[in-house]
Amino acid sequence: MATATVADARGLGAATPVPFQVVTRRRDTADTWTLELEPASGTGASVGPGQFMMVYAFGIGEVPVSVSGLPERGGGPIGLTVRAVGRVTEAICASEPGTVLGLRGPFGNVWPVDSARRGDVVVMAGGIGLAPLRSVVLRVLEERRTFGEVSLLYGARTPADLLYTDQLADWGRELAVEVTVDTAGADWPGRVGLVTKLLGPARFRPAQTTAFVCGPEIMMRFAARALLERGLPPERIQLSMERHMDCGIGLCGHCQLGPTLICRDGPVYSYAALSALLEVREL
Amino acid sequence: MPRSLEQVLADVPLLHGLSTDEIALLAGCARNVRFGAKDFLFREDGAADVFYVVRQGLVALELYVPGRGPVTIETIEAGEVLGWSWLFPPYRWHFDARALSVVRATTFDAACLREKCDADPALGYRLMGRFAQVMIERLQATRLRLLDVYGNGDRR
């Protein structure tokens, strides 16, 4: 697991924000930015693919943000991709290099990338759901030869909403990268349709495939069903769940989903563990 | 060695399960066609006197919206059916279909096919069932896209 200079989730940094400085800020779409942050001064801990940080814009508020860029082994910045949809996220996205934000974490479990080795991999992302999956893609690329067929299937609202467009082209040299959007103008040369349709031509051996899925919950529900129809075992379909998280440490209960607290037990679950809960409308 | 039209049709998902005789019957109404990138396969309100099975390439189903220009509703790719307006009067296209790349397809003459289906209702029933399946899949996909699931969620 990569080493980051951020306070350990089990230590002081779990409850107290640690100052981090924005070192780079890149606009991905009209409302989404990727920031790289380094600790103003910090203690060591680990960040794994799929984990999230609680990010505090001082004086405004705090939100959970999935880690989209893991620190290099031996240290380096943490990448966070944030969509500006409210006061806090707008403030975070507006943070120029040099701005100090407060980080708690990392929280949550990790995508089981290691257990996918020697098999095929399907990464299915919807909208900003690609952000937490970016760390999976990068981890696979680090040791590409230890995986079989790898497909990244990515759906977004419009071509202008696609994240990491420059990186998608690079990734496409080593993975099968297929992209679709919900609607587009005549200048878009690619696919228009549901992300699940991309499964049709994707190459993988269902019984030896691990799927990593992240996006709006309804998209994940239909993606999981489509993967089951293709023959994937439910325990090899991994989903990253999102609920209203406030504390990140299993105290406030806002992210409760039936018997599980997503910040503490998740956010990554297998479909086998989650399918019954996804069918309960009251949750 | 070039494959016969019957061999090509036997690989079309829409026609899987039809007998050799039925495939041969359909082949009598079919021919292979090629379109260059940006070519229109059909235009809105034109006569829907054919349908296509795309064998290679990508086709955009578009609608011209005043003030916005052409909007792509959906794309159709290899193995998929393009066009069902030939099934019902007034047999007019509701959208434009434009090739986004070089497209190779098999086209079926609608009048020829309707005539054969009228003469052989069992074949017509099986074919209609397959088209209904395609329509249902696209309707369900369209309904999901109407939800705009990638719109803004948690507004913090």
Side-chain angles (χ1 to χ4, degrees):
Chain A
M1 190 174 282
T3 300
T5 47
V6 61
D8 193 302
R10 294 171 296 264
L12 184 65
T16 306
V18 173
F20 267 65
Q21 194 169 50
V22 176
V23 289
T24 67
R25 173 177 175 258
R26 189 190 67 229
R27 186 172 210 156
D28 293 305
T29 71
D31 62 1
T32 303
W33 300 75
T34 294
L35 309 179
E36 286 188 313
L37 299 103
E38 287 183 337
S41 64
T43 54
S46 298
V47 181
Q51 290 193 296
F52 68 94
M53 310 295 296
M54 295 299 297
V55 183
Y56 184 30
F58 290 108
I60 301 172
E62 190 181 46
V63 290
V65 180
S66 296
V67 174
S68 61
L70 299 176
E72 300 282 331
R73 293 179 199 279
I78 289 179
L80 300 173
T81 300
V82 184
R83 188 176 184 188
V85 293
R87 283 179 64 240
V88 184
T89 47
E90 281 169 9
I92 293 170
C93 287
S95 300
E96 300 279 1
T99 305
V100 174
L101 299 170
L103 264 62
R104 292 192 293 125
F107 298 118
N109 60 359
V110 300
W111 294 108
V113 180
D114 287 335
S115 66
R117 288 182 202 279
R118 291 179 293 282
D120 298 335
V121 172
V122 174
V123 178
M124 280 186 90
I128 196 154
L130 182 58
L133 286 166
R134 180 172 175 269
S135 55
V136 173
V137 172
L138 297 178
R139 184 56 58 85
V140 167
L141 288 172
E142 276 177 15
E143 297 175 67
R144 178 66 187 87
R145 287 182 189 172
T146 64
F147 298 89
E149 301 277 355
V150 182
S151 299
L152 169 60
L153 313 178
Y154 176 32
R157 193 184 200 187
T158 72
D161 294 309
L162 290 167
L163 295 176
Y164 316 134
T165 46
D166 52 338
Q167 294 163 68
L168 290 174
D170 289 341
W171 297 345
R173 295 192 194 101
E174 297 196 57
L175 322 172
V177 176
E178 304 294 345
V179 173
T180 187
V181 297
D182 275 358
T183 185
D187 55 344
W188 168 245
R191 292 184 173 97
V192 175
L194 285 183
V195 68
T196 47
K197 192 173 160 185
L198 300 178
L199 269 176
R203 293 175 54 178
F204 56 89
R205 299 160 293 170
Q208 294 145 61
T209 297
T210 304
F212 301 98
V213 185
C214 189
E217 193 169 312
I218 190 165
M219 167 259 168
M220 291 198 289
R221 211 164 76 209
F222 281 89
R225 287 179 190 163
L227 288 160
L228 287 174
E229 283 174 19
R230 283 290 301 267
L232 260 75
E235 61 275 13
R236 296 190 74 112
I237 300 172
Q238 301 290 327
L239 313 176
S240 180
M241 294 297 293
E242 188 176 316
R243 281 289 192 278
H244 189 101
M245 297 182 204
D246 273 335
C247 72
I249 51 177
L251 292 177
C252 74
H254 287 165
C255 64
Q256 182 175 356
L257 179 69
T260 183
L261 292 170
I262 288 171
C263 74
R264 185 193 64 194
D265 308 323
V268 177
Y269 297 85
S270 76
Y271 188 66
L274 211 59
S275 59
L277 295 175
L278 289 176
E279 303 300 325
V280 181
R281 298 184 178 194
E282 290 77 11
L283 294 179
Chain B
M1 186 172 157
R3 301 166 75 210
S4 70
L5 195 51
E6 283 85 348
Q7 287 171 319
V8 170
L9 295 186
D11 286 342
V12 172
L14 177 82
L15 307 178
H16 283 170
L18 294 185
S19 69
T20 310
D21 287 347
E22 287 171 328
I23 295 281
L25 206 64
L26 296 178
C29 299
R31 66 190 172 88
N32 288 327
V33 290
R34 179 191 180 281
F35 297 91
K38 300 183 182 176
D39 286 352
F40 282 90
L41 282 72
F42 52 76
R43 304 294 291 259
E44 180 186 351
D45 206 36
D49 49 10
V50 293
F51 79 91
Y52 299 91
V53 171
V54 177
R55 291 185 289 112
Q56 184 187 336
L58 196 62
V59 181
L61 266 183
E62 297 176 343
L63 192 62
Y64 183 82
V65 181
R68 285 176 66 185
V71 175
T72 304
I73 308 298
E74 188 162 29
T75 49
I76 309 296
E77 57 193 276
E80 294 190 302
V81 173
L82 173 63
W84 54 57
S85 296
W86 64 278
L87 281 165
F88 306 104
Y91 309 122
R92 316 294 298 182
W93 297 119
H94 289 79
F95 300 101
D96 296 335
R98 186 170 59 90
L100 294 177
S101 59
V102 169
V103 168
R104 290 185 170 81
T106 303
T107 182
F108 293 79
D109 182 281
C112 170
L113 211 53
R114 285 196 301 264
E115 191 178 307
K116 291 189 175 177
C117 289
D118 286 343
D120 182 352
L123 170 67
Y125 178 78
R126 281 198 287 282
L127 208 54
M128 189 63 85
R130 284 164 164 76
F131 269 91
Q133 181 70 34
V134 172
M135 291 179 198
I136 287 167
E137 285 170 6
R138 295 209 187 143
L139 175 63
Q140 288 171 340
T142 303
R143 283 171 168 169
L144 285 175
R145 284 195 285 145
L146 283 175
L147 292 176
D148 191 20
V149 296
Y150 302 132
N152 295 342
D154 189 341
R155 293 188 176 275
R156 284 191 287 175

